[in-house]
Amino acid sequence: MTLFAAARLPREILFGKGQRQVLPQVASRHGKRALVCTDERFAATAIFGEMMAALRNTSVEILVHDRTLPDVPRDSVAVCVAEAKDFKPDMVVGIGGGSCLDMAKCAALLISHGGRLQDYYGEFKVPGPTLPLIAVPTTAGTGSEVTPVAVISDPERLLKVGISSPHLIAAVALCDPELTATCPPALTAIAGADALTHAIEAFTAARRGTDPTLPQQHVFVGKSALTDHFALLAVKLLGRSLERAYRDGADEDARADVMMGALAAGCAFGTAGTAAAHAVQYPVGALTHTPHGLGVATMLPYVMNYNLPAAASEFAEVGAALGLPNADIELKDRASATIAEVSRLFGSIGITRTLAELGLPAGKIEWTAEQALGIDRLIKNNPRPFDAAAMRRLVRAAYDGDMPAVLM
């Protein structure tokens, strides 16, 4: 028997229009004191005020930390935790984009186990359960509401760093597409492209075999039957609605599809992991200070083209999920058409076409390739192996916009 699957998910996932209204009932099942992590922008909205009032009306005391910053600077978590020390929360509620959810994860971790964030970098370093986390996303992209990872920026490191543990998975993911209605087109595009990249990289991740100890040794274990299911659902939903949501933010059906797509993509890559597009984005993002989703989406078509010899059948399935025809078409042509469609979709929503346009200095191509190749947890997940020459070729091709060059 070769069938293998693994999935680590929240105990409860609630999705649908108006689900934010049940936050008080959900929170009251986890205690009476909630630390709420959000950012200054969302804290100033009427919707946030209504949500906090509803919590208070259900006799849930709240402490709001509304100073979450993009990419979660390491030391900002310590500030949040110090503020919450005397409050003694029973739970943490993260409301906002991926950074707000990651802040909530990190705060729950340090409140529960103490120490410094540096003590937990890597996989399986969290020693046990944390305070219950309720994750309420207001963007549709990172999938952090269902994943076992928190990403932060450490001033002592050039590249962002992750803390990966099943103990970081939210107790409840509460997803209300109405909360994304005010996302501007550019953020809708970048977040949605991030989600589609998650889905495609999870679906084409290396298949590592059926060793029963694999999920005990690694948080991210490569593709499996369950992650494939979630990944293809994400591709289908994002393929049919991301461009619509970008062009008309008031389209409720499109907003729901994109948020469900991001959720499903998180369910996929939270166990399967991602691969080379993410590996290259780490150094590129450090140098260009551009949004993570924009960087991974810029890289994805080039990475797909590099992986074509090893993942043609998977790309054909992705193409079918995107709605491309597959009758009487050769496998390689179907796979190539899928890459072309992903490039077209990203272009239609304003995703940067090359690393040069993203702002990567030409003199940093070699350095970027070296750093990307060194991120082993991502590179080993890629379906086609890399050596130093292949990685340099990939980064150069993405810089120049020369898609065929990755296969030379």
Side-chain angles (χ1 to χ4, degrees):
M1 184 182 74
T2 59
L3 186 63
F4 166 77
R8 299 183 177 105
L9 299 171
R11 292 196 292 272
E12 188 172 20
I13 297 175
L14 302 171
F15 183 98
K17 180 178 179 179
Q19 281 291 339
R20 67 185 183 279
Q21 296 168 9
V22 306
L23 177 60
Q25 295 97 302
V26 171
S28 63
R29 294 201 296 268
H30 294 280
K32 290 296 182 182
R33 304 171 70 80
L35 169 64
V36 179
C37 298
T38 189
D39 58 24
E40 190 174 20
R41 183 201 68 81
F42 192 71
T45 65
I47 286 180
F48 181 79
E50 293 167 1
M51 294 170 71
M52 295 304 99
L55 281 172
R56 293 189 183 99
N57 289 339
T58 318
S59 299
V60 175
E61 294 185 55
I62 61 172
L63 174 65
V64 176
H65 178 83
D66 61 2
R67 299 190 304 284
T68 301
L69 299 173
D71 300 324
V72 193
R74 181 197 69 193
D75 296 337
S76 70
V77 179
V79 172
C80 174
V81 171
E83 290 177 357
K85 181 178 179 181
D86 293 335
F87 180 68
K88 295 182 170 57
D90 301 316
M91 75 197 85
V92 181
V93 181
I95 307 178
S99 292
C100 293
L101 304 188
D102 285 354
M103 168 64 92
K105 291 178 179 180
C106 292
L109 166 59
L110 291 189
I111 291 170
S112 301
H113 297 293
R116 309 169 304 157
L117 279 184
Q118 302 96 298
D119 300 332
Y120 305 104
Y121 292 170
E123 292 189 327
F124 290 122
K125 299 292 180 61
V126 180
T130 70
L131 286 179
L133 169 66
I134 301 171
V136 187
T138 62
T139 61
T142 69
S144 187
E145 64 271 16
V146 294
T147 67
V149 62
V151 178
I152 66 166
S153 53
D154 185 322
E156 297 174 12
R157 300 184 179 212
L158 181 59
L159 306 186
K160 288 190 290 185
V161 62
I163 301 171
S164 302
S165 168
H167 294 306
L168 293 186
I169 298 173
V172 182
L174 199 161
C175 306
D176 184 342
E178 287 187 318
L179 293 177
T180 69
T182 59
C183 286
L187 178 56
T188 298
I190 291 170
D194 188 18
L196 185 57
T197 304
H198 290 154
I200 292 175
E201 287 215 300
F203 187 68
T204 57
R207 195 185 302 275
R208 297 194 198 170
T210 58
D211 180 353
T213 68
L214 183 65
Q216 313 312 314
Q217 298 170 345
H218 301 281
V219 174
F220 304 107
V221 300
K223 74 189 271 98
S224 75
L226 285 175
T227 62
D228 283 355
H229 168 76
F230 286 118
L232 288 179
L233 174 61
V235 171
K236 176 182 177 181
L237 295 172
L238 292 162
R240 78 185 185 190
S241 292
L242 177 54
E243 190 172 353
R244 284 169 50 205
Y246 168 74
R247 299 198 181 283
D248 180 8
D251 186 329
E252 289 188 350
D253 290 338
R255 286 289 193 191
D257 272 2
V258 172
M259 185 174 234
M260 179 65 86
L263 169 69
C267 292
F269 92 87
T271 304
T274 54
H278 279 71
V280 175
Q281 160 55 20
Y282 270 87
V284 169
L287 291 173
T288 64
H289 304 289
T290 48
H292 166 84
L294 186 61
V296 296
T298 298
M299 283 303 305
L300 182 62
Y302 299 96
V303 171
M304 291 177 72
N305 211 43
Y306 175 81
N307 287 333
L308 186 58
S313 61
E314 285 84 359
F315 289 154
E317 290 186 71
V318 169
L322 289 170
L324 298 180
N326 57 22
D328 301 322
I329 301 174
E330 293 290 333
L331 176 62
K332 184 176 180 180
D333 292 335
R334 287 159 53 198
S336 296
T338 300
I339 300 171
E341 173 59 15
V342 171
S343 297
R344 184 210 64 77
L345 174 58
F346 283 173
S348 75
I349 60 175
I351 297 300
T352 309
R353 194 177 65 88
T354 69
L355 293 182
E357 293 171 20
L358 205 58
L360 181 69
K364 288 293 187 178
I365 291 174
E366 293 277 337
W367 179 86
T368 297
E370 291 172 6
Q371 295 299 311
L373 191 63
I375 306 176
D376 184 62
R377 66 181 174 82
L378 298 174
I379 295 303
K380 71 183 180 185
N381 220 25
N382 203 70
R384 184 184 176 197
F386 276 98
D387 58 18
M391 182 58 76
R392 285 194 299 270
R393 191 165 65 246
L394 172 67
V395 176
R396 168 59 73 179
Y399 181 88
D400 293 336
D402 186 359
M403 189 74 75
V406 300
L407 289 172
M408 289 181 180

